[in-house]
Amino acid sequence: MSDAQLASRVTGSVHIIGAGLLGSSIGLALRAKGTAVTIEDISEAAAALAIDYGAGSALQPGQQPDLVVVATPPDQAADVIAAALVRFPQAIVTDVTSVKWQPLKQLQQRGIDLTRYVGSHPMAGREKGGTIMARADLFVGRPWVICRDADTPALALALVEAVALEVGAVPMEWQPDEHDSAVAAVSHLPQVVASLLAAQLLSVKSDYLGLAGGGLRDTTRIAASDPRLWIQILTANSEPVAELLERLGADIADFAAALRDPAAHGSRTKIAQLLAAGNAGLERVPGKHGSSRSFATLNVIIADERGQLAQLFSDLDELEINMEDFRLEHSPGAAIGFAEISVLPEAEERALAALSKRGWRIV
Amino acid sequence: MSDAQLASRVTGSVHIIGAGLLGSSIGLALRAKGTAVTIEDISEAAAALAIDYGAGSALQPGQQPDLVVVATPPDQAADVIAAALVRFPQAIVTDVTSVKWQPLKQLQQRGIDLTRYVGSHPMAGREKGGTIMARADLFVGRPWVICRDADTPALALALVEAVALEVGAVPMEWQPDEHDSAVAAVSHLPQVVASLLAAQLLSVKSDYLGLAGGGLRDTTRIAASDPRLWIQILTANSEPVAELLERLGADIADFAAALRDPAAHGSRTKIAQLLAAGNAGLERVPGKHGSSRSFATLNVIIADERGQLAQLFSDLDELEINMEDFRLEHSPGAAIGFAEISVLPEAEERALAALSKRGWRIV
């Protein structure tokens, strides 16, 4: 099947079950690409809102979609997937549940034929759910994990990949247990930590909270997430999350003990080591193109004049300096700004010399 | 003294000792209001950069400022404050150290006359320090805590308040010990939690980290902070921080135990209660939706091709769109990036229309 045929097949008939944040966002994103989408929800009000919002139209009696996307809360996923395989006997069925191993195990235990089922998980979300938080660009540039097994037909995989690509995501294949271990670390652990950190604020004097700034706001932002959803996710992935929490708890206990007696031998070393480990851990989170390698950074002084940045980028192009990342630091009150340019470490020396030669000041 | 007289007195002579993030930002902000500022640093290179950056000029021999702002790391603060009271015998001296009780106690133990000293702490910062991170708008809308005592002359208090107001901050009076308890909860605890959470990433497979999204990024952003600075802050405020960490540790242990046996009586209730407590704690943080910078943001899609950014900046110049800030966002593996352009709200509509007309896709 050619790409065009595949795209037209996807375009023809995608049915979404569950009109929350993810289901509605998939609907919006596919329709923005001209795909016809139908959508339903156990709540008629939610379905009507999603339809009004432009996330899809109502499924007509007898209509048979090619692909069904199950976007329900995790504890209903297995039931809804099983029912969809019966309701839509020609369709490929996928789901977008945040955990992949437990729902698959539940389906396998029912002894039903799962040939037409492919689990998936788009790594996208917001701390507030629901139809009205939906965005067509929610998936742009985000990984979309697909868990196939040996029996998955090529067409099933291709359809889910095509949907992921249509909405701007990056499809990637994972094993269900590896996926669950990964999200335990990068998604579930941060969620629990943010929630428990925010929970400490209940016993803080309200005057004190008036001093809060961006650090507290960022570390606790996702504590706004819905407990009804997260209790399902966390209990469906409980062992890996518990293990990570226990390790974090041990580090917190060590840190607190060192602070209780900062003059004791080794206390300052312990504190410094743990803070430095935080720096190093953060450095491992990849930036551009999935690479975890660290880039060299050049800070170029930019005069606050029209045309300076255009000149800099034109010089970078002419000098064939590949920029991996870029940030502008410009203070409204300052006479100059700094362009922070990230390049591969091996390109740093040449970039520094070439830019300096063209008169750029680098600090 | 009238407001105008006071302002002109402040305008006349502020000397900043320490040309890091806070010192340079105060200099930039005061100079943006027309105030003459002098600045020095123990590092001559840092002082020269701050002067180039527009944060102040060099102090001339014999020059006597009205107000001295000590903006050194915490462990040097007491020494530098004591020296400044001797060097500038007519000046009021303040500091901007993140802890207030320990430096005051150290100064009192030296038996020196502290009548001309008023401690203060602007609640502003960034995860990366240094002169080049300085911004004139760093303090806009942020609390600036001032710790006076019964002996503080009205003029001293008025001068520090005037500086706080000049840079756009909100001056407020606190007792040193209350201040330190407050920042333990809203600043020091989140810092340790972010650092220890990021430290866990050291033992996570690098493949897994490719799935990281905004939740992990926000919860760990401040883990990039400088350990050399934070070991000083945390050991100077160790008891309140240790107590909060121990409480958080107890909640983490409870949560992990419930996850280890989610089917046990009470486990799901415990998990739900702690997640809901996170919601409730977050609700108590005032202005949680508020940002002190009120720019409109346009996300322009940038293809990952040479010349795209140069073209964008050249278009921005030609269209006379004034950019207040700029960030480039790349997602792992994505073929596109987003250029996040901040403009004044009143310029948003015209910028959107003009850029779209030139073929830029804005999401």
Side-chain angles (χ1 to χ4, degrees):
Chain A
M1 188 177 276
S2 73
D3 280 3
Q5 282 173 305
L6 192 62
S8 84
R9 171 146 192 197
V10 171
T11 306
S13 49
V14 175
H15 181 59
I16 298 167
I17 304 179
L21 171 66
L22 288 183
S24 298
S25 292
I26 293 168
L28 287 172
L30 287 175
R31 291 193 98 198
K33 291 293 181 84
T35 305
V37 179
T38 52
I39 191 162
E40 67 173 83
D41 196 282
I42 196 168
S43 149
E44 283 187 25
L49 180 60
I51 290 167
D52 278 0
Y53 201 9
S57 54
L59 187 76
Q60 299 307 310
Q63 205 176 333
Q64 287 293 335
D66 293 309
L67 178 69
V68 174
V69 179
V70 174
T72 64
D75 62 356
Q76 295 153 41
D79 283 349
V80 177
I81 292 164
L85 288 167
V86 175
R87 274 173 76 195
F88 305 108
Q90 279 100 52
I92 301 302
V93 176
T94 189
D95 71 313
V96 295
T97 314
S98 316
V99 285
K100 297 267 64 82
W101 193 74
Q102 194 184 81
L104 180 65
K105 195 180 58 169
Q106 289 170 350
L107 287 165
Q108 284 169 339
Q109 284 167 349
R110 295 177 192 204
I112 55 179
D113 178 4
L114 293 173
T115 312
R116 288 184 290 116
Y117 168 69
V118 199
S120 79
H121 180 210
M123 299 298 304
R126 309 184 75 181
E127 68 272 24
K128 296 273 185 191
T131 313
I132 62 166
M133 298 302 283
R135 287 182 64 115
D137 66 349
L138 190 66
F139 309 101
V140 175
R142 299 294 309 143
W144 188 311
V145 173
I146 302 172
C147 299
R148 68 145 157 197
D149 60 30
D151 299 330
T152 306
L155 174 68
L157 181 67
L159 270 176
V160 180
E161 277 183 351
V163 162
L165 291 168
E166 279 273 290
V167 302
V170 182
M172 41 184 77
E173 287 184 42
W174 284 66
Q175 295 301 313
D177 56 340
E178 287 276 300
H179 164 274
D180 287 5
S181 295
V183 294
V186 303
S187 167
H188 304 175
L189 176 68
Q191 177 61 55
V192 177
V193 169
S195 292
L196 296 184
L197 175 57
Q200 307 312 308
L201 303 178
L202 284 175
S203 45
V204 171
K205 285 191 199 175
S206 61
D207 278 4
Y208 290 5
L209 296 172
L211 297 187
L216 183 68
R217 192 156 45 234
D218 281 0
T219 48
T220 58
R221 177 181 61 84
I222 56 173
S225 298
D226 187 352
R228 291 167 301 175
L229 173 65
W230 275 94
I231 195 170
Q232 294 178 27
I233 296 173
L234 294 168
T235 53
N237 197 24
S238 54
E239 289 296 320
V241 179
E243 194 178 317
L244 291 165
L245 279 174
E246 284 158 2
R247 276 194 226 162
L248 172 64
D251 282 349
I252 287 178
D254 284 354
F255 204 102
L259 280 179
R260 282 287 183 200
D261 192 3
H265 178 72
S267 283
R268 288 180 69 92
T269 308
K270 172 55 82 180
I271 293 169
Q273 277 171 346
L274 283 167
L275 293 172
N279 289 170
L282 191 60
E283 283 290 324
R284 294 191 70 216
V285 182
K288 192 189 177 190
H289 298 328
S291 161
S292 62
R293 72 190 301 172
S294 32
F295 299 124
T297 303
L298 301 175
N299 281 293
V300 183
I301 292 185
I302 304 287
D304 193 8
E305 292 164 13
R306 191 171 291 285
Q308 282 273 302
L309 279 170
Q311 184 61 52
L312 175 62
F313 282 104
S314 142
D315 283 354
L316 287 166
D317 281 345
E318 280 177 34
L319 296 166
E320 299 191 353
I321 295 170
N322 272 317
M323 197 170 52
E324 303 296 329
D325 209 344
F326 176 84
R327 263 193 92 154
L328 184 67
E329 286 295 339
H330 177 245
S331 164
I336 53 174
F338 298 98
E340 187 186 290
I341 297 171
S342 302
V343 297
L344 292 177
E346 55 268 33
E348 182 183 9
E349 206 175 322
R350 187 179 74 83
L352 186 64
L355 288 171
S356 302
K357 203 169 162 189
R358 293 213 172 186
W360 294 102
R361 285 179 60 206
I362 295 167
V363 290
Chain B
M1 189 178 274
S2 74
D3 280 1
Q5 283 173 305
L6 193 60
S8 83
R9 172 146 192 196
V10 172
T11 305
S13 48
V14 174
H15 181 59
I16 298 166
I17 304 179
L21 171 65
L22 288 183
S24 296
S25 292
I26 294 168
L28 286 172
L30 287 175
R31 292 190 98 197
K33 291 293 181 84
T35 304
V37 179
T38 50
I39 191 162
E40 67 174 84
D41 196 282
I42 197 168
S43 148
E44 282 186 28
L49 181 61
I51 290 167
D52 277 1
Y53 198 8
S57 54
L59 186 77
Q60 300 306 310
Q63 205 176 332
Q64 286 294 332
D66 293 310
L67 178 68
V68 175
V69 178
V70 173
T72 64
D75 63 353
Q76 294 154 40
D79 283 349
V80 176
I81 292 164
L85 288 166
V86 174
R87 273 173 77 196
F88 305 108
Q90 279 101 51
I92 302 301
V93 176
T94 190
D95 72 313
V96 295
T97 314
S98 316
V99 284
K100 297 268 62 85
W101 193 73
Q102 193 183 80
L104 180 65
K105 195 181 58 170
Q106 288 171 349
L107 287 164
Q108 284 169 341
Q109 283 166 348
R110 296 177 191 204
I112 55 179
D113 178 4
L114 293 174
T115 312
R116 288 185 289 117
Y117 167 69
V118 199
S120 78
H121 179 210
M123 299 297 305
R126 309 184 75 180
E127 68 273 22
K128 296 268 186 193
T131 312
I132 65 165
M133 298 302 284
R135 290 188 64 111
D137 63 352
L138 190 67
F139 310 102
V140 174
R142 301 294 308 143
W144 188 311
V145 172
I146 302 171
C147 298
R148 70 145 156 197
D149 62 28
D151 299 331
T152 305
L155 174 68
L157 180 67
L159 269 176
V160 180
E161 276 183 351
V163 162
L165 290 169
E166 281 271 291
V167 301
V170 182
M172 42 184 75
E173 288 185 42
W174 285 66
Q175 295 300 313
D177 56 340
E178 287 275 300
H179 165 274
D180 286 4
S181 296
V183 294
V186 304
S187 168
H188 304 174
L189 177 66
Q191 178 61 55
V192 177
V193 169
S195 292
L196 297 184
L197 174 57
Q200 307 312 308
L201 302 178
L202 284 176
S203 45
V204 171
K205 286 192 198 172
S206 61
D207 279 2
Y208 291 5
L209 296 172
L211 298 186
L216 183 68
R217 195 157 42 235
D218 280 2
T219 48
T220 58
R221 177 182 59 85
I222 55 173
S225 297
D226 187 352
R228 292 167 302 177
L229 172 64
W230 276 95
I231 195 171
Q232 294 178 27
I233 295 173
L234 293 168
T235 52
N237 198 24
S238 54
E239 289 295 321
V241 179
E243 195 178 315
L244 291 165
L245 279 174
E246 284 157 2
R247 276 194 227 163
L248 172 64
D251 282 349
I252 286 177
D254 284 354
F255 204 101
L259 280 180
R260 282 286 182 200
D261 192 4
H265 179 71
S267 282
R268 288 181 70 92
T269 309
K270 172 55 82 180
I271 293 168
Q273 278 172 344
L274 284 167
L275 293 173
N279 289 170
L282 190 60
E283 283 293 323
R284 294 191 70 215
V285 182
K288 57 187 184 296
H289 305 298
S291 157
S292 60
R293 297 193 191 105
S294 47
F295 298 129
T297 303
L298 300 175
N299 282 294
V300 183
I301 292 185
I302 303 287
D304 195 5
E305 295 164 11
R306 187 175 292 285
Q308 282 273 300
L309 280 170
Q311 185 60 51
L312 176 63
F313 281 105
S314 143
D315 283 353
L316 288 166
D317 281 345
E318 279 177 34
L319 295 166
E320 300 191 350
I321 295 170
N322 272 315
M323 198 169 50
E324 302 297 330
D325 210 343
F326 177 86
R327 264 193 90 158
L328 189 66
E329 289 288 345
H330 265 285
S331 291
I336 56 169
F338 297 101
E340 187 186 289
I341 298 172
S342 302
V343 298
L344 292 177
E346 56 268 31
E348 182 184 8
E349 204 176 324
R350 186 179 74 83
L352 186 63
L355 287 171
S356 302
K357 204 170 162 189
R358 293 214 171 185
W360 293 102
R361 286 176 59 206
I362 296 167
V363 291

